[in-house]
Amino acid sequence: MASKTSITRAITQNRVWQSVFRQGYPNTEENRAKVIMNTLFFHIHPVKVKTHSLKISYTWGMGVISAFLFAVLVATGAWLMFFYAPSVERAYNDIQALETAVTFGMLLRNMHRWAAHLMVLTVFLHMCRVFFTGGHKHPREFNWVIGVVLWVLTILLSYTGYLLPWDQLAYWAITVGTNIVGVTPLIGEQLRLLFLGAKEVGPEALVRFYALHIWIFPGLMIILIGVHFWRIRKDGGLSSPIESAEVQQGETK
Amino acid sequence: MSEQTQRVFPKGPEKTYGLMELVKGTSPMVDKGPEDTVDSWPHLLTMEVLAILGTTVLLLFWSLLNAPLREFANPDVTENPAKAAWYFMNLQEMLLHMDPALAGIIIPGLMIIVLMVIPYFDISKEDVGIWFASKKGRAIAIWSAIYTSIWLIGLILFDEYIRVRSLVSEPAVLPGWIIPIAVMAGLSALLYVLIRRWRPTRREVLIGFFTAFVVTYFLLIISGLFFRGLGMHLTLPWDLPPGALSF
Ligand code: HEM
């Protein structure tokens, strides 16, 4: 197909294209290494991975899926922010308007809600997979600790978002939850006051939950996911039975 | 370079380079020859794209279902049952059986700490990368799941129809703290004794306990979410009052 090649050449053999993509199409060993190293969004990957860690039945893709769901939540959440104000007077009406008057508003709200629920589930399942395959063992201890924090953060993100529609479901769920916080030994009442900004769930709580939900918790999440990924690389990629074989060799020597 | 190494890795006369030195030690990628690795492009990236596409499709279909929006929040109208979000229903279920501080703060707080320190006690490297560590580990996991389910369901039914508080209500620390802690400690000890029959490694014991945690986590959510109706009493899922499912 000479014509196709010449079109491809016309597109790729010029200074503009080559200023964006520094290597040719990744079909040679060298270009495959380069595409990973030269591209911001790929360079978090190693150039080569163990075949063992590619088996679906090893990770079930739970980590990647959790990360992707988080990205979906950031994107759809940003869209929702265009149409929502965290005040008792407006919040509920804004959600109603989103469902009826905003283009794709209902779809985006549904996606945001269900992705959040799904993420709570996939992160927990990811934790189970890591434990049952021994992925938390030396040298990955600390990445597991970061993981536990990520799990708690995921739940807190979901929980702070739950209040925002300001309907009965939201109101009573947050009341039940913060009442539990209130019975913490010694500091319960103060903690509850810190979250709610008042004695009861009201406008102050809505503003605080909003701030936590749209910026403080997601910010922490982004930083910690960054550290989590960086440490996967520094800990030698994903765990695999090769490591246990090494230990046994070491013992016989 | 030693004689022996020279024999194993002779220097080719046509090559301008040669093996300089062999070093003992481990670094993350030492000993992982080219035979058990592949290029990330395309192997890993393809898998990631597939996972992302699959999730997107699932999410789009799921989003045909509308997110709930009930009436405007009203502090004067109590919901019955008033439920937290589904992923907290395990805590809310525990709340029915013990002191709120124990169920809502102390146990979850301890669980988070225990989870964090697991890798500092689970130190053998023999079974890294193997699901459930071994045949024995798998048997222990299955067995622990059955053990935990039976006890949990039994306890939930017991506390609903016979009620610990109707047997002992005074002083309040008995049903609130002492009995629940004794039951949890007793059942954990019994689980340990039973697992010991397999002559397990420490790793396999931990697998038994982690399984018990996961099963408890999900069973309590299921019971709190799908089986608690008016006044948080046990109900069958199809008899739940409208609005008892907190998604
Ligand atoms: C926002 C939440 C999280 C995201 C986005 C995330 C993402 C990932 C990804 C993409 C991997 C690569 C392998 C895989 O997909 O399984 C991974 C590995 C790992 N994760 Fe997570 N994770 C999260 C939460 C957690 C939690 C809750 C834990 C444990 C408590 C955890 C502990 C680990 C460990 C120890 C590894 C290395 C496993 C190995 O080498 O086999 N992560 N994570």
Side-chain angles (χ1 to χ4, degrees):
Chain A
M1 290 232 286
S3 63
K4 187 182 164 196
T5 353
S6 68
I7 294 173
T8 317
R9 282 172 66 101
I11 296 175
T12 59
Q13 303 293 314
N14 58 66
R15 288 175 60 182
V16 177
W17 178 274
Q18 285 170 1
S19 74
V20 183
F21 302 101
R22 291 182 195 281
Q23 73 291 317
Y25 189 79
N27 50 6
T28 65
E29 192 78 1
E30 186 189 351
N31 282 344
R32 284 178 175 182
K34 279 186 177 164
V35 73
I36 297 289
M37 289 186 290
N38 290 348
T39 316
L40 174 69
F41 299 104
F42 290 163
H43 89 282
I44 51 172
H45 298 96
V47 170
K48 285 180 174 279
V49 287
K50 293 165 215 155
T51 33
H52 179 263
S53 55
L54 285 179
K55 277 195 278 186
I56 294 183
S57 61
Y58 190 56
T59 65
W60 293 104
M62 281 303 140
V64 166
I65 292 176
S66 304
F68 173 65
L69 285 171
F70 181 67
V72 169
L73 285 161
V74 171
T76 52
W79 177 259
L80 296 179
M81 279 175 72
F82 289 166
F83 306 102
Y84 174 90
S87 75
V88 171
E89 293 76 34
R90 282 195 52 187
Y92 186 78
N93 289 341
D94 283 352
I95 300 284
Q96 272 185 330
L98 198 75
E99 293 187 347
T100 51
V102 176
T103 315
F104 290 127
M106 187 88 221
L107 177 67
L108 268 294
R109 173 164 188 243
N110 292 348
M111 284 179 68
H112 193 75
R113 182 105 177 181
W114 303 136
H117 287 347
L118 199 56
M119 185 174 166
V120 172
L121 189 69
T122 58
V123 169
F124 190 85
L125 293 179
H126 170 60
M127 178 167 83
C128 295
R129 122 48 204 152
V130 171
F131 177 82
F132 285 122
T133 59
H136 57 297
K137 296 187 185 190
H138 182 77
R140 302 185 178 80
E141 303 98 324
F142 191 63
N143 216 13
W144 167 272
V145 176
I146 293 170
V148 176
V149 179
L150 280 173
W151 173 51
V152 175
L153 258 183
T154 307
I155 290 179
L156 286 177
L157 260 169
S158 198
Y159 184 66
T160 47
Y162 213 80
L163 181 65
L164 304 184
W166 203 250
D167 62 345
Q168 281 288 75
L169 189 63
Y171 184 87
W172 289 102
I174 301 314
T175 304
V176 172
T178 48
N179 280 347
I180 296 180
V181 173
V183 298
T184 311
L186 308 177
I187 50 168
E189 270 316 305
Q190 287 88 327
L191 260 187
R192 206 174 102 90
L193 204 60
L194 180 70
F195 278 117
L196 294 184
K199 284 255 175 281
E200 299 297 330
V201 179
E204 302 85 357
L206 185 55
V207 172
R208 288 191 185 193
F209 274 51
Y210 183 71
L212 290 169
H213 184 74
I214 61 126
W215 126 251
I216 297 173
F217 289 154
L220 282 174
M221 189 80 145
I222 289 168
I223 295 172
L224 283 180
I225 290 181
V227 179
H228 195 58
F229 286 179
W230 185 78
R231 285 205 70 118
I232 295 176
R233 296 286 307 278
K234 296 292 158 181
D235 294 340
L238 289 200
S239 55
S240 90
I242 300 170
E243 289 167 36
S244 52
E246 267 167 17
V247 174
Q248 274 146 15
Q249 274 172 15
E251 275 166 0
T252 51
K253 257 174 213 163
Chain B
M1 199 154 71
S2 75
E3 287 278 322
Q4 202 209 346
T5 337
Q6 213 126 40
R7 241 182 305 115
V8 182
F9 301 101
K11 184 176 183 320
E14 74 285 1
K15 288 182 184 150
T16 54
Y17 56 89
L19 183 69
M20 291 295 117
E21 188 61 275
L22 283 182
V23 214
K24 275 221 182 85
T26 49
S27 89
M29 290 305 276
V30 163
D31 271 352
K32 292 173 191 57
E35 57 285 352
D36 48 28
T37 60
V38 288
D39 286 315
S40 294
W41 177 298
H43 297 93
L44 174 59
L45 296 181
T46 321
M47 299 296 275
E48 289 184 358
V49 168
L50 285 179
I52 287 172
L53 284 179
T55 312
T56 311
V57 170
L58 176 80
L59 195 60
L60 281 176
F61 272 107
W62 190 353
S63 295
L64 295 176
L65 207 75
N66 284 341
L69 184 66
R70 301 207 186 143
E71 303 81 59
F72 188 80
N74 186 349
D76 300 324
V77 181
T78 322
E79 291 276 300
N80 187 1
K83 289 191 184 180
W86 65 270
Y87 41 83
F88 280 144
M89 285 318 297
N90 42 16
L91 299 187
Q92 215 180 331
E93 172 71 44
M94 287 204 295
L95 225 51
L96 301 170
H97 310 289
M98 56 193 85
D99 190 277
L102 183 60
I105 302 293
I106 297 175
I107 291 178
L110 277 179
M111 266 332 295
I112 291 172
I113 294 171
V114 168
L115 281 176
M116 283 185 175
V117 302
I118 285 178
Y120 299 95
F121 290 91
D122 197 4
I123 43 182
S124 80
K125 290 267 301 174
E126 259 114 72
D127 34 39
V128 171
I130 302 163
W131 272 91
F132 301 106
S134 59
K135 270 220 170 76
K136 209 191 279 176
R138 189 178 300 255
I140 290 175
I142 293 174
W143 202 84
S144 165
I146 296 172
Y147 170 92
T148 312
S149 312
I150 292 175
W151 273 108
L152 267 182
I153 295 171
L155 285 172
I156 290 173
L157 292 174
F158 181 88
D159 206 22
E160 176 77 13
Y161 296 110
I162 301 176
R163 279 187 65 76
V164 175
R165 271 169 224 268
S166 69
L167 299 179
V168 242
S169 56
E170 287 296 318
V173 294
L174 264 179
W177 294 83
I178 296 175
I179 294 177
I181 291 177
V183 169
M184 287 182 277
L187 288 181
S188 307
L190 182 60
L191 179 62
Y192 180 70
V193 170
L194 293 173
I195 290 178
R196 284 301 295 255
R197 284 180 317 158
W198 272 278
R199 309 196 161 280
T201 61
R202 184 193 285 191
R203 167 84 178 130
E204 286 154 351
V205 173
L206 286 172
I207 286 181
F209 274 91
F210 193 85
T211 309
F213 161 68
V214 174
V215 170
T216 309
Y217 187 89
F218 280 118
L219 268 187
L220 291 183
I221 289 182
I222 292 172
S223 137
L225 185 63
F226 295 112
F227 291 91
R228 293 279 173 192
L230 291 179
M232 293 298 277
H233 282 295
L234 278 188
T235 320
L236 290 172
W238 42 90
D239 295 334
L240 283 178
L245 295 179
S246 46
F247 286 113

